[in-house]
PDB file of all heavy atoms in Angstrom:
ATOM      1  N   ILE A 183      -5.759  35.844 -19.864  1.00  0.00           N
ATOM      2  CA  ILE A 183      -6.789  36.176 -20.847  1.00  0.00           C
ATOM      3  C   ILE A 183      -7.722  34.971 -20.914  1.00  0.00           C
ATOM      4  O   ILE A 183      -7.279  33.852 -21.153  1.00  0.00           O
ATOM      5  CB  ILE A 183      -6.153  36.475 -22.222  1.00  0.00           C
ATOM      6  CG1 ILE A 183      -5.301  37.757 -22.129  1.00  0.00           C
ATOM      7  CG2 ILE A 183      -7.214  36.601 -23.310  1.00  0.00           C
ATOM      8  CD1 ILE A 183      -4.477  38.043 -23.372  1.00  0.00           C
ATOM      9  N   ASP A 184      -9.011  35.203 -20.697  1.00  0.00           N
ATOM     10  CA  ASP A 184      -9.945  34.078 -20.563  1.00  0.00           C
ATOM     11  C   ASP A 184     -10.327  33.484 -21.916  1.00  0.00           C
ATOM     12  O   ASP A 184     -11.501  33.454 -22.309  1.00  0.00           O
ATOM     13  CB  ASP A 184     -11.185  34.516 -19.786  1.00  0.00           C
ATOM     14  CG  ASP A 184     -10.868  34.815 -18.328  1.00  0.00           C
ATOM     15  OD1 ASP A 184      -9.839  34.304 -17.828  1.00  0.00           O
ATOM     16  OD2 ASP A 184     -11.630  35.567 -17.693  1.00  0.00           O
ATOM     17  N   TYR A 185      -9.293  32.986 -22.610  1.00  0.00           N
ATOM     18  CA  TYR A 185      -9.470  32.213 -23.836  1.00  0.00           C
ATOM     19  C   TYR A 185      -9.245  30.750 -23.478  1.00  0.00           C
ATOM     20  O   TYR A 185      -8.167  30.391 -22.997  1.00  0.00           O
ATOM     21  CB  TYR A 185      -8.484  32.669 -24.917  1.00  0.00           C
ATOM     22  CG  TYR A 185      -8.428  31.713 -26.088  1.00  0.00           C
ATOM     23  CD1 TYR A 185      -9.309  31.839 -27.153  1.00  0.00           C
ATOM     24  CD2 TYR A 185      -7.527  30.641 -26.093  1.00  0.00           C
ATOM     25  CE1 TYR A 185      -9.284  30.938 -28.204  1.00  0.00           C
ATOM     26  CE2 TYR A 185      -7.495  29.738 -27.138  1.00  0.00           C
ATOM     27  CZ  TYR A 185      -8.377  29.889 -28.185  1.00  0.00           C
ATOM     28  OH  TYR A 185      -8.366  28.975 -29.224  1.00  0.00           O
ATOM     29  N   ASN A 186     -10.237  29.910 -23.689  1.00  0.00           N
ATOM     30  CA  ASN A 186     -10.136  28.473 -23.441  1.00  0.00           C
ATOM     31  C   ASN A 186      -9.553  28.156 -22.065  1.00  0.00           C
ATOM     32  O   ASN A 186      -8.633  27.358 -21.918  1.00  0.00           O
ATOM     33  CB  ASN A 186      -9.307  27.788 -24.530  1.00  0.00           C
ATOM     34  CG  ASN A 186      -9.533  26.277 -24.556  1.00  0.00           C
ATOM     35  OD1 ASN A 186     -10.527  25.772 -24.052  1.00  0.00           O
ATOM     36  ND2 ASN A 186      -8.602  25.553 -25.165  1.00  0.00           N
ATOM     37  N   ARG A 187     -10.091  28.808 -21.057  1.00  0.00           N
ATOM     38  CA  ARG A 187      -9.688  28.545 -19.671  1.00  0.00           C
ATOM     39  C   ARG A 187     -10.905  28.700 -18.764  1.00  0.00           C
ATOM     40  O   ARG A 187     -11.965  29.159 -19.207  1.00  0.00           O
ATOM     41  CB  ARG A 187      -8.555  29.464 -19.219  1.00  0.00           C
ATOM     42  CG  ARG A 187      -8.977  30.914 -19.036  1.00  0.00           C
ATOM     43  CD  ARG A 187      -7.814  31.774 -18.533  1.00  0.00           C
ATOM     44  NE  ARG A 187      -7.308  31.329 -17.248  1.00  0.00           N
ATOM     45  CZ  ARG A 187      -7.774  31.772 -16.069  1.00  0.00           C
ATOM     46  NH1 ARG A 187      -8.782  32.636 -16.014  1.00  0.00           N
ATOM     47  NH2 ARG A 187      -7.247  31.346 -14.941  1.00  0.00           N
ATOM     48  N   LEU A 188     -10.737  28.337 -17.501  1.00  0.00           N
ATOM     49  CA  LEU A 188     -11.798  28.441 -16.515  1.00  0.00           C
ATOM     50  C   LEU A 188     -11.602  29.705 -15.690  1.00  0.00           C
ATOM     51  O   LEU A 188     -10.707  29.746 -14.835  1.00  0.00           O
ATOM     52  CB  LEU A 188     -11.789  27.207 -15.603  1.00  0.00           C
ATOM     53  CG  LEU A 188     -12.030  25.862 -16.288  1.00  0.00           C
ATOM     54  CD1 LEU A 188     -11.766  24.712 -15.312  1.00  0.00           C
ATOM     55  CD2 LEU A 188     -13.450  25.785 -16.829  1.00  0.00           C
ATOM     56  N   PRO A 189     -12.371  30.757 -15.928  1.00  0.00           N
ATOM     57  CA  PRO A 189     -12.248  31.967 -15.113  1.00  0.00           C
ATOM     58  C   PRO A 189     -12.445  31.645 -13.638  1.00  0.00           C
ATOM     59  O   PRO A 189     -13.235  30.765 -13.269  1.00  0.00           O
ATOM     60  CB  PRO A 189     -13.381  32.862 -15.640  1.00  0.00           C
ATOM     61  CG  PRO A 189     -13.621  32.392 -17.035  1.00  0.00           C
ATOM     62  CD  PRO A 189     -13.405  30.899 -16.983  1.00  0.00           C
ATOM     63  N   GLY A 190     -11.698  32.352 -12.801  1.00  0.00           N
ATOM     64  CA  GLY A 190     -11.784  32.091 -11.374  1.00  0.00           C
ATOM     65  C   GLY A 190     -10.742  31.115 -10.878  1.00  0.00           C
ATOM     66  O   GLY A 190     -10.686  30.828  -9.685  1.00  0.00           O
ATOM     67  N   THR A 191      -9.888  30.618 -11.770  1.00  0.00           N
ATOM     68  CA  THR A 191      -8.769  29.751 -11.397  1.00  0.00           C
ATOM     69  C   THR A 191      -7.471  30.520 -11.627  1.00  0.00           C
ATOM     70  O   THR A 191      -7.433  31.468 -12.417  1.00  0.00           O
ATOM     71  CB  THR A 191      -8.754  28.462 -12.226  1.00  0.00           C
ATOM     72  OG1 THR A 191      -8.596  28.797 -13.615  1.00  0.00           O
ATOM     73  CG2 THR A 191     -10.052  27.690 -12.040  1.00  0.00           C
ATOM     74  N   PRO A 192      -6.369  30.152 -10.944  1.00  0.00           N
ATOM     75  CA  PRO A 192      -5.098  30.840 -11.168  1.00  0.00           C
ATOM     76  C   PRO A 192      -4.665  30.751 -12.637  1.00  0.00           C
ATOM     77  O   PRO A 192      -5.010  29.782 -13.328  1.00  0.00           O
ATOM     78  CB  PRO A 192      -4.116  30.089 -10.256  1.00  0.00           C
ATOM     79  CG  PRO A 192      -4.978  29.439  -9.229  1.00  0.00           C
ATOM     80  CD  PRO A 192      -6.257  29.094  -9.928  1.00  0.00           C
ATOM     81  N   PRO A 193      -3.927  31.731 -13.135  1.00  0.00           N
ATOM     82  CA  PRO A 193      -3.471  31.660 -14.526  1.00  0.00           C
ATOM     83  C   PRO A 193      -2.740  30.370 -14.873  1.00  0.00           C
ATOM     84  O   PRO A 193      -2.808  29.900 -16.015  1.00  0.00           O
ATOM     85  CB  PRO A 193      -2.524  32.870 -14.635  1.00  0.00           C
ATOM     86  CG  PRO A 193      -3.058  33.836 -13.632  1.00  0.00           C
ATOM     87  CD  PRO A 193      -3.538  32.993 -12.484  1.00  0.00           C
ATOM     88  N   ARG A 194      -2.043  29.780 -13.901  1.00  0.00           N
ATOM     89  CA  ARG A 194      -1.276  28.558 -14.149  1.00  0.00           C
ATOM     90  C   ARG A 194      -2.151  27.322 -14.341  1.00  0.00           C
ATOM     91  O   ARG A 194      -1.662  26.269 -14.761  1.00  0.00           O
ATOM     92  CB  ARG A 194      -0.297  28.308 -13.006  1.00  0.00           C
ATOM     93  CG  ARG A 194      -0.959  28.190 -11.642  1.00  0.00           C
ATOM     94  CD  ARG A 194       0.087  28.125 -10.539  1.00  0.00           C
ATOM     95  NE  ARG A 194      -0.479  28.365  -9.231  1.00  0.00           N
ATOM     96  CZ  ARG A 194      -1.034  27.439  -8.457  1.00  0.00           C
ATOM     97  NH1 ARG A 194      -1.105  26.192  -8.903  1.00  0.00           N
ATOM     98  NH2 ARG A 194      -1.506  27.749  -7.273  1.00  0.00           N
ATOM     99  N   ASP A 195      -3.444  27.430 -14.039  1.00  0.00           N
ATOM    100  CA  ASP A 195      -4.334  26.283 -14.215  1.00  0.00           C
ATOM    101  C   ASP A 195      -4.335  25.864 -15.686  1.00  0.00           C
ATOM    102  O   ASP A 195      -4.503  26.694 -16.583  1.00  0.00           O
ATOM    103  CB  ASP A 195      -5.748  26.642 -13.773  1.00  0.00           C
ATOM    104  CG  ASP A 195      -6.692  25.451 -13.861  1.00  0.00           C
ATOM    105  OD1 ASP A 195      -6.765  24.693 -12.889  1.00  0.00           O
ATOM    106  OD2 ASP A 195      -7.328  25.282 -14.916  1.00  0.00           O
TER     107      ASP A 195
END
Side-chain angles (χ1 to χ4, degrees):
I183 294 172
D184 292 338
Y185 168 87
N186 198 20
R187 70 178 299 270
L188 298 171
T191 61
R194 58 187 165 86
D195 183 87

